[in-house]
Amino acid sequence: MSLPIIQNLEKMLASGKDSALLRFSLGNEYLKLGEPEKAASHLQHAVALDPGYSAAWKLLGKALVAAGRQEEALGAYRQGIAVAESKGDRQAVKEMTVFARRIEKHLGASTDGPESE
């Protein structure tokens, strides 16, 4: 169960040990627990603390999708793609591009390329 892990992480946060990794871990655990809004909140803090944290951008997008916040998720994925590209993280770019395209199709939005499947 994620609850004991969350309790320990929340204690660390309450003691003032805030960090991007701690927020990422909390977001990941809340997402596992089926609480996407709490997950998104922690993940937004993670990327605010470390804007270059591509894994946090990817998980933030996933949490926002789970919360039904598609447009915000698309923005998170786009930001995450830019971050991952700048770091040469091709796998993260590939994954977030797929997720972003799914949202774009869902929203019926046109994107920056003629690519479609």
Side-chain angles (χ1 to χ4, degrees), residues 18-60:
D18 199 2
S19 70
L21 179 59
L22 177 58
R23 294 291 188 152
F24 176 83
S25 299
L26 273 164
N28 190 36
E29 294 303 321
Y30 275 118
L31 196 56
K32 288 180 190 174
L33 202 59
E35 296 190 39
E37 289 291 347
K38 283 187 178 179
S41 176
H42 285 292
L43 292 162
Q44 286 168 330
H45 279 95
V47 297
L49 291 168
D50 183 0
Y53 198 166
S54 56
W57 284 108
K58 186 171 80 174
L59 198 57
L60 174 58

Side-chain angles (χ1 to χ4, degrees), residues 81-95:
I81 290 166
V83 167
E85 283 176 339
S86 73
K87 297 171 76 176
D89 187 352
R90 294 181 186 170
Q91 183 62 32
V93 169
K94 184 176 178 181
E95 290 174 5

